[in-house]
Structures are given as structure tokens and as C-alpha cells.
Amino acid sequence: MDIASLIGLILAIGLIIASIALGNAPFSAFIDIPSFLVVVGGAVAAALICFPLGSMLKSPLIALKVILNKGEDRLSLIKQIVELAETARRDGLLALESKVAEIANPLVKTGIQMAVDGSTPEVVEEVLRTEVEAIQTRHREGKSIMDQLGRFAPAYGMIGTLMGLIMMLQDMSDPSGIGAGMAVALITTLYGAIVANVFFSPFAEKLGLISRNEMVSLEIAIRGVMAIQSGESPRAIDQKLRTFLPPKQRNAE
Amino acid sequence: MDIASLIGLILAIGLIIASIALGNAPFSAFIDIPSFLVVVGGAVAAALICFPLGSMLKSPLIALKVILNKGEDRLSLIKQIVELAETARRDGLLALESKVAEIANPLVKTGIQMAVDGSTPEVVEEVLRTEVEAIQTRHREGKSIMDQLGRFAPAYGMIGTLMGLIMMLQDMSDPSGIGAGMAVALITTLYGAIVANVFFSPFAEKLGLISRNEMVSLEIAIRGVMAIQSGESPRAIDQKLRTFLPPKQRNAE
Amino acid sequence: MDIASLIGLILAIGLIIASIALGNAPFSAFIDIPSFLVVVGGAVAAALICFPLGSMLKSPLIALKVILNKGEDRLSLIKQIVELAETARRDGLLALESKVAEIANPLVKTGIQMAVDGSTPEVVEEVLRTEVEAIQTRHREGKSIMDQLGRFAPAYGMIGTLMGLIMMLQDMSDPSGIGAGMAVALITTLYGAIVANVFFSPFAEKLGLISRNEMVSLEIAIRGVMAIQSGESPRAIDQKLRTFLPPKQRNAE
Amino acid sequence: MDIASLIGLILAIGLIIASIALGNAPFSAFIDIPSFLVVVGGAVAAALICFPLGSMLKSPLIALKVILNKGEDRLSLIKQIVELAETARRDGLLALESKVAEIANPLVKTGIQMAVDGSTPEVVEEVLRTEVEAIQTRHREGKSIMDQLGRFAPAYGMIGTLMGLIMMLQDMSDPSGIGAGMAVALITTLYGAIVANVFFSPFAEKLGLISRNEMVSLEIAIRGVMAIQSGESPRAIDQKLRTFLPPKQRNAE
Amino acid sequence: MDIASLIGLILAIGLIIASIALGNAPFSAFIDIPSFLVVVGGAVAAALICFPLGSMLKSPLIALKVILNKGEDRLSLIKQIVELAETARRDGLLALESKVAEIANPLVKTGIQMAVDGSTPEVVEEVLRTEVEAIQTRHREGKSIMDQLGRFAPAYGMIGTLMGLIMMLQDMSDPSGIGAGMAVALITTLYGAIVANVFFSPFAEKLGLISRNEMVSLEIAIRGVMAIQSGESPRAIDQKLRTFLPPKQRNAE
């Protein structure tokens, strides 16, 4: 679980609640359900226009990934690739057939299966790279949904505030109501700023980072499969793939 | 039909109408025809300066594509390509001549026709790629029109508001009219924000997504034609092209 | 003549004039010569700092191009290239010498002249591509001047408004003058927004589009010359170059 | 130590303190701990959502690098490479084994060790380039943390100001308190602007510059190792690597 | 001398002074030394954090380059290269040794010296391209300093205005002082906008343009040296390099 994202989320929300508590206005002054609906509902509506229904329905899960993602275990991926390379060296490429079912990484699995089935290295690489591109496209869409939500939330916040101001300005017969009317008008702008800067924008950034990390693991997988198929020595493969690890981890067993 | 875009559009408009209904100002306070003309007319006028008349006249159709687009049926495209490959394998490339008329995908049609006519693979690929580039240019123009409309609408909204403010400030003899004058001035800004964030900007995003999806289908078509011409086995073509499908669809019949 | 740009320009200006006419303030309230000088003069001054004098003096002509440009007649360009290819096929490359003077397109002219003079295809292509790059650089500068004018006009509008506000705030002894002072201060912001969104920004967009279109014609010219020099058949050249035309025009005579 | 960054930091802070001292408001008017917590705490919280905990904990050290970085001593790096090249020329590549322990630059060390161990030039270069890419990724993350802090600080400043305005507008019964309430509301916006423009944004710029400089040194190291392994003459290596130095330093001993 | 930049600078400053003179406020209302120090001092301080001291000290000279730059004399550069090519053709490459001292262009000088000394064309090109890259990096830094100054000046203007507003709001006991307090607060924003839009931003644009122009001359120099070394005929070199000139200048003697 990604403890930093969870801490950040709790901290950001806590700070906002604390500063309302410290002020002299009641909490109720900051709660306005219709304003919330205009901002969040509006941002979701605009995103629904932009993206397919299937992607939008999956987006809460994608947002959860920000909190729940475990990070890549690249070392064990490299170890498994080296193990496969040893078998291939000792008993030939076809000996990997019995091991395919045990391979955890789907990209390595596909690649080894194709190599065993006799596909040429060029075809194996093309298929794996097309697959990685498809994964990247899915990641980009997930990040892009958060980006758009983070862009439309303040926009709908502004729309709500403009509507509130126009209502207030229409009826200025009671001067004592002007302040309250203006406060309500500003709440949608506040909601838009909070929703964008506590949730959507940081989530989009994090999804980008997670994706870039996963891309490195996928590159390790592809290079591993190619090296096994071209019969490189397990030791050379190990050394080459470990350059993708941070220096400290490089000599780990 | 793209149900998500339609839902999003209805939801966004519904939320705005609902929050006006919930307020204490009459609907008429939000309707001002001249303001609407300045914002939408101004954005269209600015876009007319930017783009050729033909493209502008087609832009309502392009906007409709956001709602009406059906998504790509890549699986059936791949199936048809594999079928053509089987015929070519069995009866030779020239046997495809009789089938050209039945091919639905225009890119596959052009490619197969050229192959049958004896063009070299290099020429076929060059012609198909030039065609794809031309399609991409048309798509970009469509998206670009929406982008510009979404950029000029708020700009003309601001121009309208500035004009309204100047009018109001010129005549402040009647203090009771200031609020109403300011409300009217703000309406153009509101219109600009709504028109950009409910229609033009999300439409531009969606058109970009539709185009990227279509580009994948065109890539499948080109690779399919090239593989048929180079005499690859139907099974290999099928496997290669299916990597462009999402994993779940890959083993579909 | 580019009717769309002219219509757009008239429509945008007409809408602004109409909404002033519909308001209850006199036209004179929107006219302030010093404000106009600060905005337009300031934007031009800033652009003068950015660009060479020669380019700035040519910029009104470049702006006129937005209205006067006729679009590319690619079909007749292709026809002329095919004609030259036929002569070259029938009578040899040297037979083109007598036709060089008649060639309208300067790029084709240079290329054919060089081919006739015995330059190798590599040298011809290099010279033509350097020429195209130089044209593109000139186009970019033209567009860039409009972009900068469209960026500096609102900036000088804001400078004018700030100066107006400071003047007004200095002397608030007569409250009845505050509204008028503020109105005058806002006029420079209005001018900046109008000048940028009616003229400079749409002009920059259009110049970009015109340039991209011209680049396609130049690409046709280069590919045509290269094909003639390498002795391709006129029919193949015709087919290849027509892929650059929109589908409907492709079979035109 | 980077004297310019330190001077800049002291100057920026000094100017802000001086202009408060010159004004007629007490210093206390500019100090509000809860506002400070919302802005800095909020920016840190948002960054925590975006980045892994490990990177965030290291970020104060990275910020210190802006002040403490010493610049690259490229000349002595080149001298050491040339020295290694001389040994290799005179006594063979294997003679470098005894010198590996003395090499200060980690990239040169890794490269020479691999060359001595008999790795092919292709493998050595691949390993070194992967390493450089990993360093660049770490640098980018450091810069990116500062960029995000510099983007979120003003955003949380605005959130704080909006909350302050809403509180103030809720209770306008005491007109004399409006000014003070508004002043407090504006303090978070001020803090956001100061924190972003005195610290985070310039720090991000500087980290980018430091990284680009370090990349040049890493390039020198890689090219040096490759040249030694391919047996180029020390004099040629010296001349080639010195082109990376500024002209004045090029002939230094 | 670059007359356009000088005219632009005088025009921009003149327009601002003229519109103050036309207004009814005294000049003194626009002069506030502490405000000036916060804006310009703050922008310089922030830039000092971003860039090395050496680059910052050179930046006034770089800014002068905007006014003093003379433009590139590409024609005479080409002529000198062609002359060198003629000597090399007639008397051999080594005959150029005696002419090296006379070569004005430093890049041509280095290249010819290396060619005479027997470096291979690959090495000569690598050294020259590394040099050009280093020049481009220096140019980019110069432009980047102006860009950052143009970005931080308005930011410190806003910081100053916020501080002024907070001071004013703290003490509203004397209503007649509010206007003047607000006027002073706005002056820093005005200074930030003027400094950015009259000086730094246009200067950054111009430096970019000067650099792009110089890059073309450097490309001519590199291509010329390479052509001389590979023994191309002076006439061919002349023709090839002249494609870099604008059409009108191409046939100049």
C-alpha cells in the first residue's frame, strides 16, 4: 500500500477541516449540497462527454490504485527471468514449455510461450511491444481522466459562482443578505479548488509516476525474453537487467 | 451511439438548470439573447477567421460525431483481413480481384486493389500511409475547430462583460440599477464558461480520442494489407493483428 | 479570396458594434484614442523589439494574406508535373530544358533546371529541402509576429487599466467621477481583448493553417521532381501524387 | 558552494522584510500560523499524494543541493580519463585493473571495471547509458517535486483565501472587522505566492540546470570510457573531450 | 545595430510616459522606489537562485545584444569558404595551413586547422557539432534568464500588491486614505507588468531569434568545412551553401 499518498490525502483534508474549526464560522457555512453537485457532478459530466462509459466506470478503481499500488518488485522479476534463462541454457528453449504456466508476469509468459512455439525473435518483440503500447494507452487514458476532472472541477466551480453572483445581484433589496449570498456563491469556487488540488490533480500526477515505473518493469520483461531467446548467458542477462535497479539494490541476492 | 457522451451532456445541462431552479432568481434572469449572440457568435466568427468555410460548415456534423460515433469494430476488420489472406494463400493474390468490391474498409480496398494491379509493396505502403496522414490532418482540423471555439467563447464572454461594465459605470446615477447592470454584464462571462466547458472543450477531447482509436484501426488495415501482399500465413496475420485488441477480446471468435 | 476569414471578421466586428448599439451608453463611451494608442502602439512596440524591422514592415501584408489567400491548386500542380514527366519519358530529361521557362511553381522550376544541368538526385533533393525549410522559417516568423501581437495587446491593455486605476484612486474627492474613471480604465483592457481575439490570435491560427497547406504543395513539388529525375512512369507519378488530394478530387481530370 | 543561489535567497527574503518594515503596519500583521500551515502543509500534502515517501523525505536534501552544489570539475575528470588512456596505451587495458579503485567518478569506474573484465564495448555502453538514464530519472523526480510544490502552494493559498472570505462574508454585522477579516484572508494568497516564487519555483529551475550540467559530465565519462576501450590515442581523447569545456578552459593544463 | 529593437523600446516607454502625461495625476503618483525595488530586486533575486553568478553578471551584456546585434553576414562567410575551397582544389588541403590565421569565423578556423592537421572528417564534424551545441546551450541560458526575469517580475509585483493591500486593510480608520493606499498597492503590479512586457519578455523573444539566425550561419560553416575536406568543387559548394540565403541574395556577387 502506498503510505505516502494516504498520509498526503489525510493531511490535506485534515488541514482544511482544522482551519475551518479554528475560524469563527460554523461548519455548516461550508456545506452546500447543490454547490457540491454542480462542481463534482459537472466535472464528471464533462469527463463523461470526453471518455467512453467503460473507462469512466473503471475510473474510481484507477483512483484507488493511487492508494493501493504496491510498487514494482523488479528484483524478483529479474530473478525469475534469470532462472528461466538457466533452464533454457541447460535444457534448451523447449524445456521452458513446462514452466510457462508458473510465470507470474504476463508479458514474460506471452513472450516465452511464443518463443517455445517457434516464433522468430522479430515477431516476439513486435507482439510484446504492441502489447506494451496498448498498456501505455490504457494508463494514459486513466491519467487523462483525472487530468480532465482536475481541469473541469474549477471550471464548474466558476460557473456555479457566476450563477450565484448573478442571483445575488438580481436582488439587492436586502443589503444584509449580500454578504451571505456572496459567501454561497464563493463556495462552488472553493469546492472546485479543493476537489482539483486535493484529489484529481495529485492523483493524475501519481498515476503518471506509477505508469512510468511500470513501463520500466515491462522493458525489463521484454529485454529478458529477447535475451533468453537469443541464448545469452544467464550471468550476462542478470548483469544487464540489474542496471535497471537503483544502485543499492543492484547487488542484492 | 456513444451513450456516455449523451449522458454527460444531459447531466451537465441538467445540473445547471437544476441549480437555477433551486435558486431564488427567475429563469429569465439567466436569459439574455444579445449576450448569447456576442459569446457564441463571436466564437464562431473568430473560428471562421481561422478555418476554411468548408471545414466550418462541416463542424456541426463533426460535433454530432461525438454523440453518434459507434466505436471501431476491430475484430470484424481483422476477420475480414484474415479471410482475404486465406483466399490469397489458396488461390493466389490475383484471386482477390473478385473480392475487392465486397471489402468494406476503404483502406483495405485501396491496398488490395493496388496489390492486385501489381504495385510493389513499397508503393502500396506509401500510398496507404499518405492516405492515413490525410485522414489524420482532417481529424486534427475537426478537433482544432472545437479547441478554438472553446478558447474564443470565454474570450468573447470577457469582451461582453467588459462592455457591460463600462456601460454600467458610465451611468451610476441610479444606484439601484447597479446590481442589475452588473448581473447582465456577468451573464456573458457565464455563457462563455458554460459553452466552453459543457460543449466545445469536452467535444475537442472526445474528437481527439475518437481519432486516436480510428488511427489504430487504420494501422491494423495497413499492416493487414502488407502482410497479405508479402504472403504471410493467415494464422500468423491473425495472431499479429489481434495484439491490437484489448486482452479480453483477443481470443474471441 | 478567402471568404470565410472576411465573413468572420465582419461578423465579429458587427457583433461588437451591435451590442454597443443595443446598450444604453453612447458610442463615444467606447472610444478613447489614448487608450487605443497604448494598446495597439504598445503591442507593436513590443513586437518591434522581438522582430527585425524588415519582418515587421511586411507584417501588414502577411495579415492581408489571411483575407486574400486563394488556397492551393494542387490538381493543376500535379497535372503540370505529370506533363513534364511525359516529356521526360518520351524525349529524355534534357528535353525539359526548353520547358523550364514555362514552369509556374518555383520549386519545380529550380529542381528541373538542376536535373537538366546534371546535378545528382541527392544534391537536387538537398537544395529543394533547404529551400522548403527556409520558406517554413519565413512562415513561422509571420505567424509568430501575430502570436506575439496577440499576447502583448492584452498585456498592454492591463498596463493601461492599472495606470487608469492608479490615477482614479489618487483622486477620489469627487465620488461621482469614480464610475467614469473606472470605465475609462477598463477601456484599455477591452481594447486589448478585442484586438487580440478579433485580429491577432485568429490571424496567427489562420497563417499556421495556410502554411501547413502550402507545405503539402511543396512536398508534392519535391516528390514530383524526384520522380521525374528517377525516370518513373507518368502514370505512377500521377497516382502517387494524387494521394495528396482529398478523395473527391482524386479522380478529377 | 553556490554563492549566487544563497545571495538570491537572502536578497529575496530581505526585500520582502524590508518592504514590510518600510510600511506602516506592524510585522505581526503579516504573521498567521494557521495560514502558513494551510499553504505549506497543503502543498506538502499534495506532493505526498504525487510522490513516493522515500523521494519526499529526500526532498529537503535535494533543496539543499541548490545552495551546496559545487559545480562540475570537468577538467580534472578529463585529465583522469586521459591518464587512464595513457596507462592503457602503454601497458594494455588489463593494466587498468590496479587503478580501478582510485577512480573517483563512479561511471568511469564501472565502465573501466567492465572493460577490464572483458565485456564488449556494446555491453559497456548499454550498461553506462542505462545508468545515466536512471540518474536522469532521479534528477527529474527531484525537480518535479519542487515544480509540484511551486504549483500547489499558490493553489492552497487560494483555498485558504476563499475560506477566509466565506467566513468574513458570513458575519458582516461588524463593518469595522471586514478590513481585518479580508487582510487575514489575503495572507494565505501572499504566503502561497512567496513560498512559490522565493523557494520552490526557482529551486526547480536551478535543479534543472544542475542536472543538465551533470549530464554533460556523464557524457564526457561515457565517451572517455568508450574511447579508452577502443584504444584511441590519449592525445585524441584529450582533444575530443575538451570540446565539452567552455573555450577559455580548453587549453588549461 | 538593430534599429527595430531600439525603436520598439523607445516607442513602448514613450507611450507609457505620454499616457501618464495626458492623465490628470502627477508623475510622482507613479513613482515609488520601494515598489520598484521589490519588483526588479525580487525578479533578479529569484533569477540569482536559478542561474550561476557568472551567467547573471553577463546578462546585462546579453540584454545589450538585443540592441547592438548586427545580424549575420552570411554572404561573406560563404565567399570566404568558397575561396578556401578554391585554394584547396588548386594547391591541396595542406596549402590552407598558411591561410588559417586569416579566417575570421572561429568554427571554420577550428575545422580547417583540424583538417590540415590530418583529423578524419568524422572527428572534425564531431568536434564542430559539439562546439555548436555548446554555443546553443549558452544562447539558451541567456534567453532563459530573460524568460525567468519576465516570469518573476509580475510574480513579485503581485507579492508587493498583496502586501500593500494587507497593510491598507489593517488600518481602514481613515477612509480617505483607502484610495491612496490601494493606488500604492497597485503600483507594484503595474511595475511588474511594465518590466516584463517592455523589457524581459520581448528581449527573451529577440534572443531566441538571434540565436536561431546564428545557428544557420554555424550550419553553413560546418557544411562548408566538410565540403572542403571532402574535396567538393568550389562551384558546387557555392551553389549548395547559397540555398541558405534568402532568394534575393542568392545571386549576389
Side-chain angles (χ1 to χ4, degrees):
Chain A
M1 215 170 90
D2 201 328
I3 196 94
S5 295
L6 199 63
I7 295 175
L9 212 49
I10 292 170
L11 183 58
I13 296 170
L15 279 165
I16 291 170
I17 292 176
S19 42
I20 295 177
L22 282 171
N24 51 2
F27 262 93
S28 62
F30 289 91
I31 289 167
D32 189 57
I33 303 295
S35 296
F36 185 78
L37 286 180
V38 167
V39 172
V40 176
V44 169
L48 268 169
I49 304 177
C50 301
F51 299 98
L53 195 59
S55 311
M56 284 301 290
L57 291 175
K58 259 181 284 173
S59 67
L61 280 173
I62 292 170
L64 261 184
K65 211 171 132 182
V66 168
I67 306 286
L68 298 180
N69 107 82
K70 286 220 204 86
E72 305 290 318
D73 186 358
R74 292 180 196 162
L75 185 58
S76 75
L77 170 62
I78 293 175
K79 279 184 187 165
Q80 187 165 31
I81 290 171
V82 172
E83 222 171 86
L84 291 168
E86 279 162 1
T87 309
R89 251 289 163 98
R90 212 174 40 231
D91 309 322
L93 204 58
L94 293 179
L96 291 177
E97 182 136 44
S98 61
K99 295 210 156 188
V100 167
E102 300 162 25
I103 303 174
N105 185 299
L107 212 62
V108 177
K109 193 173 201 161
T110 307
I112 295 296
Q113 182 65 62
M114 288 184 70
V116 166
D117 290 355
S119 301
T120 63
E122 289 73 34
V123 171
V124 174
E125 185 159 13
E126 199 188 329
V127 167
L128 297 184
R129 295 236 173 259
T130 309
E131 180 64 37
V132 168
E133 251 172 62
I135 294 172
Q136 201 168 20
T137 303
R138 279 200 297 278
H139 285 179
R140 263 201 217 114
E141 199 177 80
K143 178 181 189 308
S144 186
I145 290 177
M146 292 299 143
D147 272 327
Q148 295 299 330
L149 287 169
R151 166 192 171 198
F152 283 118
Y156 280 83
M158 198 184 99
I159 289 175
T161 295
L162 285 166
M163 292 197 299
L165 284 177
I166 291 171
M167 288 180 193
M168 183 202 86
L169 290 162
Q170 285 289 334
D171 176 23
M172 308 223 302
S173 54
D174 171 20
S176 70
I178 294 179
M182 186 116 181
V184 171
L186 282 181
I187 275 184
T188 51
T189 294
L190 175 64
Y191 284 176
I194 289 177
V195 158
N197 290 294
V198 176
F199 300 94
F200 298 140
S201 293
F203 279 28
E205 281 302 310
K206 182 75 175 210
L207 287 174
L209 194 87
I210 293 174
S211 174
R212 280 194 299 278
N213 277 337
E214 203 177 319
M215 282 302 128
V216 176
S217 294
L218 295 175
E219 187 63 33
I220 292 176
I222 291 185
R223 294 221 191 159
V225 169
M226 301 321 297
I228 292 174
Q229 197 175 10
S230 72
E232 288 184 31
S233 86
R235 209 179 135 265
I237 295 176
D238 192 50
Q239 186 188 26
K240 219 165 73 176
L241 297 185
R242 275 176 191 250
T243 40
F244 285 101
L245 298 177
K248 282 182 195 170
Q249 246 190 304
R250 226 167 268 168
N251 299 311
E253 274 310 305
Chain B
M1 216 170 90
D2 202 327
I3 196 94
S5 295
L6 199 64
I7 295 175
L9 212 48
I10 293 170
L11 182 57
I13 297 171
L15 279 165
I16 291 170
I17 292 177
S19 42
I20 295 177
L22 282 171
N24 50 1
F27 261 95
S28 61
F30 289 91
I31 289 168
D32 189 56
I33 303 295
S35 296
F36 185 78
L37 286 180
V38 167
V39 172
V40 175
V44 169
L48 268 169
I49 303 177
C50 301
F51 299 98
L53 195 57
S55 311
M56 284 301 291
L57 291 174
K58 258 181 285 172
S59 66
L61 279 173
I62 292 169
L64 261 185
K65 211 171 132 182
V66 167
I67 306 287
L68 297 180
N69 106 84
K70 286 218 203 88
E72 305 290 317
D73 185 359
R74 292 180 195 161
L75 185 57
S76 75
L77 169 62
I78 293 175
K79 279 184 187 165
Q80 186 164 31
I81 291 171
V82 171
E83 222 171 87
L84 291 168
E86 277 162 0
T87 310
R89 251 290 163 96
R90 210 175 40 232
D91 309 322
L93 204 57
L94 293 178
L96 292 176
E97 182 137 44
S98 61
K99 295 211 157 186
V100 167
E102 300 162 25
I103 303 175
N105 185 299
L107 212 61
V108 176
K109 192 173 201 161
T110 308
I112 294 295
Q113 182 66 61
M114 288 183 71
V116 166
D117 289 355
S119 302
T120 63
E122 289 73 32
V123 171
V124 174
E125 184 159 14
E126 200 188 329
V127 167
L128 296 184
R129 294 236 172 258
T130 309
E131 181 63 37
V132 168
E133 251 173 62
I135 294 172
Q136 201 167 21
T137 303
R138 278 200 298 277
H139 284 180
R140 264 201 217 114
E141 199 177 80
K143 177 181 190 307
S144 186
I145 290 177
M146 292 298 143
D147 272 326
Q148 295 299 330
L149 287 169
R151 166 193 171 198
F152 283 118
Y156 279 83
M158 198 185 99
I159 289 176
T161 294
L162 285 167
M163 291 197 300
L165 284 177
I166 291 171
M167 287 181 193
M168 183 202 87
L169 290 163
Q170 285 289 332
D171 176 23
M172 309 223 303
S173 54
D174 171 19
S176 71
I178 293 179
M182 186 118 182
V184 171
L186 283 181
I187 276 184
T188 52
T189 295
L190 175 65
Y191 284 177
I194 289 177
V195 158
N197 290 295
V198 176
F199 300 94
F200 299 141
S201 294
F203 278 29
E205 282 301 311
K206 182 75 176 211
L207 287 174
L209 194 87
I210 293 174
S211 174
R212 280 195 298 278
N213 277 338
E214 202 176 319
M215 282 302 128
V216 176
S217 294
L218 295 175
E219 186 64 32
I220 292 176
I222 291 184
R223 296 219 190 159
V225 169
M226 301 321 296
I228 292 174
Q229 197 175 10
S230 72
E232 287 184 32
S233 85
R235 211 180 134 266
I237 295 176
D238 192 49
Q239 185 189 27
K240 219 164 73 175
L241 296 185
R242 275 176 190 249
T243 39
F244 286 101
L245 298 177
K248 282 181 195 169
Q249 245 190 305
R250 227 167 267 168
N251 299 311
E253 275 310 305
Chain C
M1 216 171 89
D2 202 328
I3 196 94
S5 295
L6 199 63
I7 296 175
L9 213 48
I10 293 170
L11 183 57
I13 297 170
L15 279 165
I16 291 170
I17 292 177
S19 42
I20 296 176
L22 281 172
N24 51 2
F27 261 93
S28 61
F30 289 91
I31 290 167
D32 189 57
I33 303 295
S35 295
F36 185 78
L37 286 179
V38 167
V39 171
V40 175
V44 170
L48 268 169
I49 303 178
C50 301
F51 298 98
L53 195 57
S55 311
M56 284 301 291
L57 291 174
K58 258 180 286 172
S59 65
L61 279 173
I62 292 169
L64 261 183
K65 213 171 130 181
V66 167
I67 305 288
L68 297 180
N69 106 83
K70 286 218 204 88
E72 305 290 317
D73 185 359
R74 291 181 196 161
L75 185 58
S76 76
L77 170 62
I78 293 174
K79 279 183 187 165
Q80 186 164 33
I81 290 171
V82 171
E83 223 171 86
L84 291 167
E86 278 162 1
T87 310
R89 251 290 163 97
R90 210 174 42 232
D91 309 323
L93 204 57
L94 293 178
L96 292 176
E97 182 136 45
S98 61
K99 295 211 157 185
V100 167
E102 300 162 25
I103 303 174
N105 185 299
L107 212 62
V108 176
K109 193 173 200 160
T110 307
I112 295 295
Q113 182 66 63
M114 288 184 71
V116 166
D117 289 355
S119 301
T120 62
E122 289 73 33
V123 171
V124 175
E125 184 159 14
E126 198 187 330
V127 166
L128 296 184
R129 294 236 172 257
T130 309
E131 181 63 37
V132 169
E133 253 173 60
I135 294 172
Q136 201 168 20
T137 303
R138 278 199 299 277
H139 285 179
R140 264 199 216 115
E141 199 177 81
K143 177 182 189 308
S144 185
I145 290 177
M146 292 298 142
D147 273 326
Q148 295 298 331
L149 286 169
R151 166 194 171 197
F152 283 118
Y156 280 83
M158 197 185 100
I159 289 176
T161 294
L162 284 166
M163 291 197 299
L165 284 177
I166 291 171
M167 287 179 194
M168 183 202 87
L169 290 163
Q170 286 289 332
D171 177 21
M172 308 222 305
S173 54
D174 172 19
S176 71
I178 293 179
M182 185 116 182
V184 172
L186 282 180
I187 276 184
T188 52
T189 294
L190 175 64
Y191 284 177
I194 288 177
V195 159
N197 290 295
V198 176
F199 301 94
F200 299 141
S201 294
F203 279 28
E205 281 302 311
K206 182 75 176 210
L207 287 174
L209 194 86
I210 293 174
S211 174
R212 280 194 299 278
N213 277 339
E214 203 176 318
M215 281 303 126
V216 175
S217 294
L218 294 174
E219 186 64 32
I220 292 175
I222 291 185
R223 297 220 190 160
V225 170
M226 302 320 297
I228 292 175
Q229 197 175 8
S230 71
E232 287 183 32
S233 85
R235 211 180 134 265
I237 296 176
D238 192 51
Q239 186 189 26
K240 218 164 74 175
L241 297 184
R242 275 176 191 250
T243 40
F244 286 101
L245 298 177
K248 282 180 195 170
Q249 245 190 305
R250 227 167 267 168
N251 298 312
E253 275 309 306
Chain D
M1 216 170 90
D2 201 328
I3 196 93
S5 295
L6 199 64
I7 295 175
L9 213 48
I10 292 170
L11 183 58
I13 296 171
L15 279 165
I16 290 170
I17 291 176
S19 42
I20 295 176
L22 281 172
N24 50 2
F27 262 94
S28 62
F30 289 91
I31 290 167
D32 189 56
I33 303 294
S35 295
F36 185 78
L37 286 179
V38 167
V39 171
V40 176
V44 169
L48 269 169
I49 304 177
C50 300
F51 299 99
L53 194 58
S55 311
M56 284 301 291
L57 291 175
K58 259 180 285 172
S59 67
L61 280 173
I62 292 169
L64 262 183
K65 212 171 131 182
V66 168
I67 306 287
L68 298 180
N69 107 82
K70 285 218 204 88
E72 306 289 318
D73 186 358
R74 291 181 196 161
L75 186 57
S76 75
L77 170 62
I78 293 175
K79 279 183 186 164
Q80 189 165 29
I81 290 171
V82 172
E83 224 171 85
L84 290 167
E86 279 163 0
T87 310
R89 250 290 162 98
R90 212 174 40 231
D91 309 322
L93 204 58
L94 292 179
L96 291 176
E97 181 136 46
S98 61
K99 295 211 157 185
V100 167
E102 300 162 25
I103 303 174
N105 185 299
L107 212 61
V108 177
K109 193 173 200 160
T110 307
I112 295 296
Q113 183 65 62
M114 287 184 71
V116 166
D117 290 355
S119 301
T120 62
E122 288 73 32
V123 171
V124 174
E125 185 159 13
E126 199 187 329
V127 167
L128 296 184
R129 294 235 172 259
T130 308
E131 180 64 36
V132 168
E133 251 173 62
I135 294 172
Q136 201 168 21
T137 303
R138 279 200 297 279
H139 285 179
R140 263 201 217 114
E141 199 178 79
K143 179 182 189 305
S144 185
I145 290 177
M146 292 299 142
D147 272 326
Q148 295 299 330
L149 286 169
R151 166 192 170 198
F152 283 118
Y156 280 82
M158 198 185 100
I159 288 176
T161 295
L162 285 167
M163 292 196 300
L165 284 177
I166 291 170
M167 288 180 193
M168 183 202 85
L169 291 163
Q170 285 290 333
D171 177 23
M172 307 222 305
S173 54
D174 172 20
S176 70
I178 294 179
M182 185 116 184
V184 172
L186 282 181
I187 276 185
T188 51
T189 294
L190 175 64
Y191 283 177
I194 289 178
V195 158
N197 290 295
V198 177
F199 300 94
F200 299 140
S201 294
F203 278 29
E205 281 303 309
K206 182 74 175 210
L207 287 174
L209 194 86
I210 293 174
S211 174
R212 281 195 298 278
N213 277 337
E214 204 177 318
M215 282 302 127
V216 176
S217 294
L218 294 175
E219 187 64 33
I220 292 176
I222 291 184
R223 296 221 191 157
V225 169
M226 302 321 296
I228 292 175
Q229 196 175 10
S230 72
E232 287 184 31
S233 87
R235 210 180 136 264
I237 296 176
D238 192 49
Q239 187 190 26
K240 218 165 74 176
L241 297 185
R242 275 176 192 251
T243 38
F244 286 102
L245 299 176
K248 282 181 195 170
Q249 245 190 306
R250 226 166 268 168
N251 298 310
E253 275 309 304
Chain E
M1 216 170 89
D2 201 329
I3 196 93
S5 295
L6 199 64
I7 296 175
L9 212 47
I10 293 170
L11 183 58
I13 296 171
L15 279 165
I16 290 170
I17 292 177
S19 42
I20 295 177
L22 281 171
N24 50 2
F27 262 93
S28 62
F30 289 91
I31 290 168
D32 189 57
I33 303 294
S35 295
F36 185 78
L37 287 178
V38 166
V39 171
V40 176
V44 170
L48 269 169
I49 304 177
C50 301
F51 299 98
L53 195 58
S55 311
M56 284 301 291
L57 291 174
K58 258 180 286 171
S59 66
L61 280 173
I62 291 170
L64 262 183
K65 212 171 130 180
V66 167
I67 306 287
L68 297 179
N69 107 83
K70 285 218 204 89
E72 307 289 318
D73 185 359
R74 290 180 197 162
L75 185 57
S76 75
L77 170 62
I78 293 174
K79 279 183 187 166
Q80 188 165 29
I81 290 171
V82 171
E83 223 171 86
L84 291 167
E86 277 162 2
T87 310
R89 252 286 162 101
R90 211 175 40 233
D91 309 323
L93 204 57
L94 292 178
L96 291 176
E97 181 136 47
S98 61
K99 294 211 157 186
V100 168
E102 299 162 25
I103 302 174
N105 185 298
L107 212 62
V108 176
K109 194 174 200 159
T110 307
I112 295 295
Q113 183 65 63
M114 287 185 71
V116 166
D117 290 355
S119 301
T120 63
E122 288 74 32
V123 172
V124 175
E125 184 160 13
E126 198 188 330
V127 167
L128 296 184
R129 294 236 172 258
T130 309
E131 181 63 37
V132 169
E133 252 173 60
I135 294 172
Q136 200 168 21
T137 302
R138 279 200 299 278
H139 285 180
R140 263 199 217 115
E141 198 178 80
K143 178 182 190 305
S144 185
I145 290 177
M146 292 299 142
D147 272 326
Q148 295 298 330
L149 286 168
R151 166 193 170 196
F152 283 118
Y156 280 83
M158 198 185 101
I159 289 176
T161 294
L162 285 167
M163 292 196 300
L165 284 178
I166 291 171
M167 287 180 196
M168 184 203 85
L169 290 163
Q170 285 289 333
D171 177 22
M172 307 221 306
S173 54
D174 172 19
S176 71
I178 294 178
M182 185 116 183
V184 172
L186 282 182
I187 276 184
T188 51
T189 294
L190 175 64
Y191 283 177
I194 288 177
V195 159
N197 290 296
V198 176
F199 300 94
F200 299 140
S201 294
F203 279 28
E205 281 302 310
K206 183 73 175 212
L207 288 174
L209 194 85
I210 293 174
S211 174
R212 281 194 298 278
N213 277 338
E214 204 177 317
M215 282 303 127
V216 176
S217 294
L218 295 174
E219 186 64 33
I220 292 176
I222 291 184
R223 296 221 190 158
V225 170
M226 301 321 297
I228 292 175
Q229 197 175 9
S230 72
E232 287 183 31
S233 87
R235 213 182 132 263
I237 296 176
D238 192 50
Q239 186 190 26
K240 218 163 75 175
L241 297 184
R242 275 175 192 251
T243 38
F244 287 100
L245 298 176
K248 282 181 194 169
Q249 245 189 305
R250 226 167 267 169
N251 298 311
E253 274 309 305

